[in-house]
Every structure is written in C-alpha cells, then in structure tokens.
Amino acid sequence: MKKLLTICSTLVACIALVACSSPEMKKANYEVIPLPKTIVKGEGEAFNLDKSTLIAYPAENEKMEKNANFLSDYLHEMLGLKLSLTTDLKSTNAIILDLVEGENKEAYTLVVEANKVSIHGTSEAGVFYGIQTLRKSLPIGKNLKVSLPAVEIKDEPRFSYRGMMLDVSRHFFPLDFIKRYIDILALHNINTFHWHLTDDQGWRIEIKKYPKLTEIGSQRTETVIGHNSGEYDGIPYGGFFTQEEAKEIVEYAADHFITVIPEIDLPGHMQAALAAYPNLGCTGGPYEVWKQWGVSEDVLCAGNDDVLEFLIDVMDEIMEIFPSEYIHIGGDECPKSRWQECPKCQSRIKTLGLKADKKHSAEDYLQSFIMSHVEKYLNDNGRQIIGWDEIMEGDIAPNATVMSWRGLSGGIEAAKMKHDVVMAPTSHVYFDYYQTQDVENEPIAIGGYVPIQTVYSLEPAPAELTVEEQKYIIGTQANLWTEYIPTTEQVEYMVLPRMAALAEVQWCVPEQKDYVNFIKRLPGLMEIYALEGYNYAKHVFDIQAKLIPNINEGVIEVHLNTIDDAPIYYTLDGSQPTEASVHYEGVLKLNETCSFRAIAVRTSGNSKVFSEEIDFNKATMKPITLLQPLNERYKYGGETTLVDGLKGNLTLRTTRWLGLSGNDLEAVINLKSEQEVSSVDIRVFVDKSDWVFDSRGFEISVSTDGENFKNVLTESYLPMKETDENGIKTYHLTFDPIHAQYIKVKGLSEHNLPEWHDGKGKPGFLFIDEIGVN
C-alpha cells in the first residue's frame, strides 16, 4: 500500500512538473514602430511558430541568404529558437522570404496563414524591413509558444532618405560600437548613416597621401571641461579609422541595407587639418587640434591653390572608401574674418570678380567658389554633394542637396529652388539636446530641449510648399553631435527612444501618425532595447506635465499624465508625495505661490518625483505687451512666458526663456488695478559661447493710465569681460514706493559683441525668463 501511495505521489509530482514547464502561449502584436501602412486581420487560423519551422529564401541570392540568417539570429535571441534554413520556397510550416515586382524598392508585404508566413519584398531591402516588422511583433522569452494571428500587412516608407548622423570628431568611438550603432539604425528602418568624420577637434579618417592628418590631426593635447570653462582635463585624446576599418563599416552597413555617407566638413571646421598642414591656412599657423568646443576662425585658405589640390586629393580617397552616391562636404559655420584679411583670398575675390550685394558678402561668394569646385569634381566622378544649409549663402552649388539644420526655412527655400532637401532642424531632431526639462539630473549636454514628443511632431514637408515642391523633400535626419557625449553608453542614452519617434516621422505618412498611439506602442520596442542591452532613456515613464498660464482666469493650469495611466498623487507644500497624498483627478488650477510635487505610483516601482516651484507676485498672470519683437527662433509661448510664475533652468531651450537679438526688451505689464509697487525682479541667462550676453542696463517706468509713463529707475552696466561667469543672473531693482497700474520694463541687450568674442561687432542675444513685480 505504501509503495502504491509513493507511485501515485510521484505521478502527481510529474504531472505538476509538466504543467509548470509547459510553454506559455503568447500572440504576436503587429502594431510595431514604425507602424506599417496597412494591417488587415485575416480570417484564417493562426500560424504557430516552433522549433520545426523553416526559413526559406531564394537559392543563389547572397543578400537573401543574409536576410534569412538575420531572421534566424533574431528568433534565436528573442525566443531561443534556432531554425533551419532552406531554399525550397514551397515549404510549409515555414517563413518564406521572396522577391516581387513593385515601384517602391523598399516595400514589402507580410502575410500570415495557418501553414506559412510570407514576406515578399520589392527588393532585398524590402524583405529586410518585413523581417524587422516580424521581429518587433514577437514576444520575448525562452519558453514560449508563439502564435502569429492571420494577417496581411502592406507597407512602404514615405521617404527614400531616412538618416541618422553620428559625430566621431569631438569624441571618438571604436569600430565595434559603430557596428552596434548601425544595428540600432536597422532596428528603426533607417537606411542612411551620416558619418561626421572631421572637425576642428579631430580628423578621424586615414588619408594616405596626407598621413599627418591622422598622425597629428587626430590627436588633441587635452579637452575642455564643461561648457568652454577655460579649464582643461590635461589628458591627451585621439583616435581614427584606417581605410580598411572604414570599408569594413561600409560593408557591414550595406548588409543591413544602410548607406554610409561620409562628411568631410569644409572649408570651415578644419583646424585639425590645419594643425597637420599649416600651409593650408590663411596665417600659416602655428595651429593646434582644437581642445575646446565651438567654431574656430581658422579655416582653409580659399585663395591658396594648394587647398584646392588638397581637397581634390582627399575626395579621391574618400570616394575610393565610400561608394555612396552622396558625399557630405559640410559648408556650415565658416567664419570669413581670416579671408577678409588674407591677401591670397582677396586676390582670388578680385580675380573671380566677386562682389558683395544686399544679401551676401564677397567672402560668401568665395565660399561658393570652393564648394562648387569640390562639387564639380565629385559630379565628374559620378557623385553628388550634400551640404548644410549655409551652402545657400552666395551661389548655391548647382546640383547640391541641402541639409536644413537651422530650422525648416532653409529647406523650404531650397525646395522652391528645386534642390533636393533633407530636413534636420535643431528644433526637432538634434539629439545632443536635453530630452527632459529636469536637466539637473541629466548628464551634461550642449543645451536645448528636444523631448520625444517634439521629435514626433516634425512634419518634414511643410504646408508652405506646393505639392510639386514637396517632392524635393527627400527625407529627414536626426543629428548627434558629441561635444558632451564621451561614452558609447551616453550615445545610446541620447538617441533612444527618440530614434523611435524619428522612425515614424521618416516612415509613416502624416495621416498615420498619432502620438498617443505611438506612446502606447513604445514599451514593446523598449523590450527589444532591454534584450539588446541598449542604454535607453526612460523619461516616457515619468509624469508628463504641462503647466499652462491662463491669463483670463489668473491661474496656472497643471495637466499631468503617464504613459500607462498610473495613478498620480501630489502635494503643494514641497513635501514628498506618496499614495496617501492628494489624488490627481483632473486639471489643477493654481493661483498662489507653492512648491508642487507629484509622483506616479506603480507596483513595479514609483516614478521619479516631478517638482515645480511656482511663484505668484503682482505681475503673475497679468496681461503683458511687448513693444519690441522677440527673435523668431526663441519666442516659444510668447510674452505670457515672462509673467507665468515659472522660472527657467540652466538650459536655454526649455521654452521658459525668451530671446531677442538686435533690439531690446520692452514690456508693459497691466496689473489690472492701481497698486503700490517698489521693486521689479528680472532673471537673465548668460552663455557667452552661445552669444548670449548679460543686459547692458534696465529702465523701469510706471503709469496709471497706460499712456503717460514716469521713469522710476535707470541702471547701466559695463560690457561683459571674457572672464565673467556664465549662468543665471537675478536683478532685484528697487525704487521708492509708488502707485501704478502699468509697469514698463526695458532691458538693454548687447548690440555689439566685444573684440575678445568670436562674434565681435555683431549683436548678442538677451534671454529673459520671468519678470516679477512687488
């Protein structure tokens, strides 16, 4: 009897063990990023993916064989399945990879039936993108049964040029990481890797005819600490890619259907080259590889025939390494001060008969001569140039493609001139900018503010263009400049998940785009980030907050939400919020000074605390009128920003700071009733490297009727010195108490930058974030 009981117990235990270890069934989810153009659910049975499933591809097609191996590797990594490959396209229980005819050479269809999955591409690239969609639709786990519901997906990209740039000049990244970066691009259906290889701070590509470019030009003695602080780390820094390594990257990218476009930035951003070959500069040097950030005044000498020969020689070797149709030749941020003083450059201007006009200087046209010289040579060798939008200053090279980075306007102008355009505006796709306003808890960045929602909102083909003109917008690209990005981990942190938003901008037609829906799909892609070990940013799980000034009601409206609708709790006294705090149930309307704190509560762990200091004074939420205009690039929410009770932080572009240049701040605040006032507080941002200077003085005037003003305070300040500190300055301006309803505040900007500054003689910027009256 005891033996029988033992046998029964053993059987029960075995059955329980089998039950516990039986694979869990999970379904594929085809709503991936980027979202396919059409997803039509099928009526048939699902396809069950298991270890007996085959991957079939056309015989004697090397690219399709590589595609099959990519798919096999993805499935092994995600599910632990190692599937066999076959060239029998009639196989059942198989994933069939095949080619079909079609106009868009990156299009594909993905059809799931009970006995097979078919991915038909109009090219091998189309099949690759179908594989990416299948990959991203799958669950992740080593002990799963995967069911693929019947479906027909038809998909193709909106833009033919889908780019991502990486700067390896300011900081150098090794060969293996460049391959990893290409893997990340492939996951996001990006087909162009723009490789910024040269700049003032380092020349990173071997040129055999000019060995000193890498012997000297790739090495800087040390690197500035922080934002051009004047302090240096004392550590030699360098690195470059041999031509064989660069070719290896080109081949690796091509296997992933990514074209590598090299950039040799000219005629500016060339100080590393000048350090190696000082005869190429206007002054003859000596030069050093630049150890600070910014724009050097030392550029290639446009009057020197040796420079023309040098550029052609470099392009010969670049074309031999990189088979891409396009070569990027920069053209951005080229100061003309050396050319203005250089006898050779002035002689060239005279010989060419270049004349200044209302739009451009003779030196602008001299740069066009250099760019056209290089373009003609590349065109003669079957290549095309891309340049930053400054190449439109002067005579634009006739066949140039314009990469518009200083907003959309340059791209719009170029498209109207029938030039192909790649939109890459700082406002939307500069991934070296902060991705959160909580900059104090972020790694140092160049400044700016481009959250993932801003990336997603980009429309590369603006409505200002006609339908015909919009055809010249061939695509869009995000840029990662690396002055403040020293590690590979930080590269990943800055591009992910913003690259997911970029992917939908590049791939999806506008009618498909929906940010709320995108955010709901994003966690699925993040699971792949985690699987691959990518160091991605997780700000989307934080509380998303909008604080909107409501002048009519005299309140700040607080709008809060989370990606997963997690409950939010808040406090107003600066204390730590908990689940016992007040539950956020809708828009809050605040009308007094408070220390706002909020937290999202989850079983997996609470969010980071959102905090905001809100300061009400007599000017807060009162009508304000500006008598002089803001700079168009830095007007953000407009004049109300100056009286919304919210202070900006140490980055200019978080929309809290308003900027002007070439004119002064002149604001009139209507307190809506006559009150006693005796002080005005004004906050000013200073960052000399960005041409953002302190005020030269303030004038305060008051009025009871809004027409007749009485001056109550005037202060003037000396010009800034090179040694003056950057940062936020608060001015507390006091005067004898007086009754008034209207307060006029005039803040004088720096109209002529000093001799010691790179922008000497030009107007500086004045940035203000809040005006308080008491």
Side-chain angles (χ1 to χ4, degrees):
M1 185 65 178
K2 287 182 179 178
K3 189 174 182 180
L4 180 60
L5 287 172
T6 300
I7 292 171
C8 290
S9 298
T10 303
L11 285 171
V12 170
C14 289
I15 292 169
L17 182 61
V18 171
C20 290
S21 62
S22 61
E24 179 186 358
M25 175 66 77
K26 284 198 174 182
K27 289 185 177 181
N29 180 357
Y30 305 120
E31 303 234 337
V32 300
I33 293 173
L35 187 66
K37 194 169 186 178
T38 63
I39 303 173
V40 180
K41 293 181 180 179
E43 297 180 356
E45 295 181 9
F47 177 85
N48 292 324
L49 184 64
D50 59 36
K51 62 183 181 182
S52 65
T53 302
L54 300 173
I55 300 175
Y57 65 93
E60 300 181 2
N61 186 321
E62 185 180 344
K63 290 182 179 180
M64 291 293 276
E65 184 177 3
K66 288 180 179 178
N67 275 342
N69 278 301
F70 280 133
L71 177 56
S72 177
D73 291 343
Y74 297 147
L75 293 174
H76 184 254
E77 184 178 39
M78 297 178 72
L79 301 170
L81 296 175
K82 191 63 176 175
L83 304 187
S84 297
L85 274 56
T86 178
T87 56
D88 181 4
L89 297 179
K90 295 182 179 180
S91 299
T92 56
N93 188 24
I95 303 173
I96 310 294
L97 310 179
D98 203 2
L99 298 173
V100 294
E101 293 294 322
E103 291 185 11
N104 189 319
K105 293 306 177 184
E106 294 180 300
Y108 69 90
T109 59
L110 192 161
V111 179
V112 176
E113 302 171 271
N115 65 343
K116 65 179 179 179
V117 175
S118 303
I119 300 176
H120 297 294
T122 53
S123 69
E124 292 86 354
V127 172
F128 183 76
Y129 298 127
I131 288 171
Q132 295 303 322
T133 293
L134 179 60
R135 170 194 184 188
K136 287 177 275 194
S137 72
L138 296 174
I140 296 174
K142 300 300 184 184
N143 192 33
L144 300 177
K145 288 178 67 177
V146 178
S147 171
L148 279 65
V151 75
E152 182 180 47
I153 294 172
K154 292 185 177 181
D155 198 13
E156 63 183 24
R158 178 187 182 192
F159 291 110
S160 61
Y161 184 109
R162 304 183 302 281
M164 185 70 219
M165 185 274 276
L166 179 64
D167 163 23
V168 295
S169 177
R170 279 50 178 261
H171 282 102
F172 177 79
F173 306 104
L175 184 72
D176 285 348
F177 178 74
I178 302 302
K179 292 180 179 179
R180 182 176 170 93
Y181 193 74
I182 288 168
D183 290 339
I184 295 173
L185 269 55
L187 176 65
H188 295 84
N189 294 20
I190 290 172
N191 67 357
T192 305
F193 172 39
H194 173 182
W195 205 3
H196 186 83
L197 290 163
T198 67
D199 219 297
D200 295 319
Q201 294 82 8
W203 185 285
R204 305 293 178 207
I205 183 67
E206 176 189 26
I207 302 296
K208 292 179 179 179
K209 190 169 183 178
Y210 296 91
K212 291 181 182 179
L213 287 174
T214 47
E215 290 172 8
I216 296 172
S218 72
Q219 307 291 320
R220 59 178 181 258
T221 57
E222 57 186 348
T223 303
V224 69
I225 297 171
H227 290 92
N228 283 346
S229 63
E231 298 180 8
Y232 296 85
D233 60 14
I235 303 171
Y237 189 92
F240 67 92
F241 297 96
T242 67
Q243 292 194 4
E244 289 308 307
E245 288 173 329
K247 289 177 181 177
E248 187 178 336
I249 290 299
V250 168
E251 183 179 356
Y252 187 85
D255 287 344
H256 294 76
F257 304 95
I258 292 172
T259 299
V260 181
I261 294 180
E263 181 182 358
I264 306 298
D265 203 348
L266 63 97
H269 289 285
M270 272 281 178
Q271 188 159 317
L274 297 182
Y277 295 96
N279 62 298
L280 301 178
C282 289
T283 67
Y287 307 101
E288 66 173 350
V289 179
W290 227 24
K291 55 191 183 183
Q292 67 186 63
W293 314 130
V295 179
S296 170
E297 287 194 40
D298 287 306
V299 303
L300 293 177
C301 178
N304 186 345
D305 287 340
D306 288 347
V307 166
L308 302 181
E309 181 181 351
F310 166 77
L311 292 175
I312 297 307
D313 291 340
V314 168
M315 291 303 158
D316 278 338
E317 297 195 33
I318 289 297
M319 285 190 289
E320 198 276 326
I321 301 167
F322 299 95
S324 57
E325 176 188 1
Y326 289 112
I327 305 292
H328 202 305
I329 62 171
D332 63 311
E333 298 177 326
C334 179
K336 309 299 191 297
S337 55
R338 294 286 187 256
W339 293 356
Q340 290 167 352
E341 300 169 357
C342 174
K344 288 183 180 179
C345 291
Q346 292 303 309
S347 175
R348 177 91 72 192
I349 286 173
K350 185 175 181 181
T351 300
L352 295 172
L354 304 178
K355 304 288 185 182
D357 55 31
K358 293 181 179 179
K359 294 182 67 175
H360 304 296
S361 67
E363 288 75 19
D364 287 334
Y365 289 110
L366 183 60
Q367 177 168 340
S368 295
F369 160 75
I370 290 281
M371 306 303 283
S372 295
H373 175 78
V374 176
E375 184 196 32
K376 183 179 185 304
Y377 186 75
L378 291 173
N379 288 169
D380 289 346
N381 284 272
R383 306 298 183 93
Q384 301 293 327
I385 70 164
I386 296 182
W388 301 108
D389 54 56
E390 285 97 328
I391 65 173
M392 298 174 65
E393 296 171 1
D395 289 328
I396 183 171
N399 298 311
T401 294
V402 174
M403 188 166 280
S404 186
W405 72 278
R406 296 177 301 177
L408 299 176
S409 58
I412 292 171
E413 182 183 352
K416 288 179 180 292
M417 296 168 64
K418 299 185 178 180
H419 283 269
D420 284 345
V421 174
V422 175
M423 289 295 194
T426 58
S427 55
H428 291 77
V429 287
Y430 265 47
F431 287 179
D432 52 329
Y433 287 9
Y434 287 105
Q435 52 196 314
T436 173
Q437 294 193 20
D438 184 19
V439 298
E440 286 81 4
N441 293 306
E442 289 290 292
I444 185 173
I446 196 169
Y449 175 50
V450 177
I452 190 169
Q453 187 170 4
T454 297
V455 179
Y456 198 83
S457 70
L458 174 63
E459 173 43 56
E464 294 96 309
L465 297 174
T466 66
V467 173
E468 192 62 31
E469 289 167 342
Q470 287 180 353
K471 293 178 182 177
Y472 290 99
I473 309 298
I474 63 172
T476 185
Q477 169 177 298
N479 298 330
L480 188 69
W481 304 102
T482 60
E483 289 93 332
Y484 303 96
I485 304 177
T487 67
T488 59
E489 291 81 9
Q490 196 171 342
V491 169
E492 293 175 4
Y493 181 81
M494 298 303 281
V495 301
L496 299 176
R498 288 190 283 191
M499 198 184 291
L502 173 71
E504 295 228 334
V505 171
Q506 295 175 332
W507 189 273
C508 301
V509 294
E511 296 77 24
Q512 273 186 287
K513 288 176 60 187
D514 181 313
Y515 181 72
V516 173
N517 180 266
F518 163 77
I519 285 295
K520 289 180 179 177
R521 288 181 278 120
L522 186 56
L525 184 58
M526 286 179 161
E527 289 183 11
I528 296 181
Y529 294 170
L531 178 69
E532 298 290 349
Y534 299 148
N535 182 39
Y536 64 98
K538 301 176 178 66
H539 302 105
V540 292
F541 295 108
D542 294 339
I543 291 174
Q544 306 302 307
K546 287 185 180 179
L547 281 72
I548 302 173
N550 184 330
I551 295 291
N552 293 331
E553 296 185 26
V555 300
I556 292 179
E557 296 181 354
V558 180
H559 300 252
L560 306 177
N561 64 78
T562 59
I563 189 174
D564 54 357
D565 296 324
I568 299 171
Y569 299 86
Y570 69 91
T571 63
L572 298 175
D573 60 3
S575 61
Q576 176 77 15
T578 68
E579 202 166 351
S581 303
V582 181
H583 183 215
Y584 174 81
E585 295 180 322
V587 178
L588 291 177
K589 295 185 177 183
L590 304 178
N591 62 2
E592 59 185 6
T593 297
C594 66
S595 295
F596 184 82
R597 304 286 185 272
I599 194 167
V601 174
R602 299 183 177 95
T603 55
S604 58
N606 294 344
S607 74
K608 185 170 62 178
V609 174
F610 170 79
S611 62
E612 188 71 67
E613 299 298 321
I614 299 171
D615 177 33
F616 271 73
N617 56 74
K618 292 179 179 179
T620 308
M621 299 301 159
K622 298 300 193 300
I624 180 172
T625 302
L626 294 185
L627 304 182
Q628 297 192 43
L630 296 164
N631 183 280
E632 282 297 316
R633 292 176 66 188
Y634 305 114
K635 64 190 302 183
Y636 301 119
E639 58 270 19
T640 303
T641 306
L642 298 176
V643 289
D644 62 4
L646 304 172
K647 293 182 172 64
N649 55 25
L650 287 169
T651 183
L652 280 178
R653 298 173 182 87
T654 54
T655 73
R656 296 282 177 84
W657 295 95
L658 302 185
L660 47 88
S661 179
N663 57 298
D664 300 317
L665 171 75
E666 196 167 6
V668 177
I669 302 168
N670 180 359
L671 301 182
K672 300 184 76 173
S673 65
E674 196 170 308
Q675 304 178 46
E676 183 178 271
V677 294
S678 60
S679 68
V680 172
D681 292 295
I682 305 173
R683 283 164 42 98
V684 177
F685 192 100
V686 177
D687 187 343
K688 301 187 297 296
S689 65
D690 264 354
W691 298 27
V692 179
F693 270 55
D694 199 358
S695 176
R696 291 297 304 276
F698 289 104
E699 298 175 10
I700 309 297
S701 304
V702 300
S703 170
T704 57
D705 59 9
E707 295 182 4
N708 301 293
F709 283 85
K710 175 185 177 182
N711 180 276
V712 294
L713 178 142
T714 299
E715 290 189 1
S716 299
Y717 312 128
L718 294 173
M720 290 192 71
K721 302 187 294 294
E722 190 171 5
T723 54
D724 288 343
E725 292 185 358
N726 292 331
I728 298 172
K729 297 191 68 173
T730 300
Y731 288 90
H732 180 61
L733 309 172
T734 61
F735 42 88
D736 292 337
I738 189 170
H739 282 78
Q741 180 175 337
Y742 298 90
I743 312 294
K744 181 187 289 186
V745 179
K746 187 170 184 179
L748 306 179
S749 68
E750 181 57 80
H751 288 240
N752 295 284
L753 293 175
E755 283 294 315
W756 55 262
H757 194 268
D758 290 343
K760 60 185 178 184
K762 296 179 180 178
F765 283 89
L766 177 64
F767 273 80
I768 307 288
D769 80 331
E770 193 70 12
I771 301 174
V773 176
N774 285 299

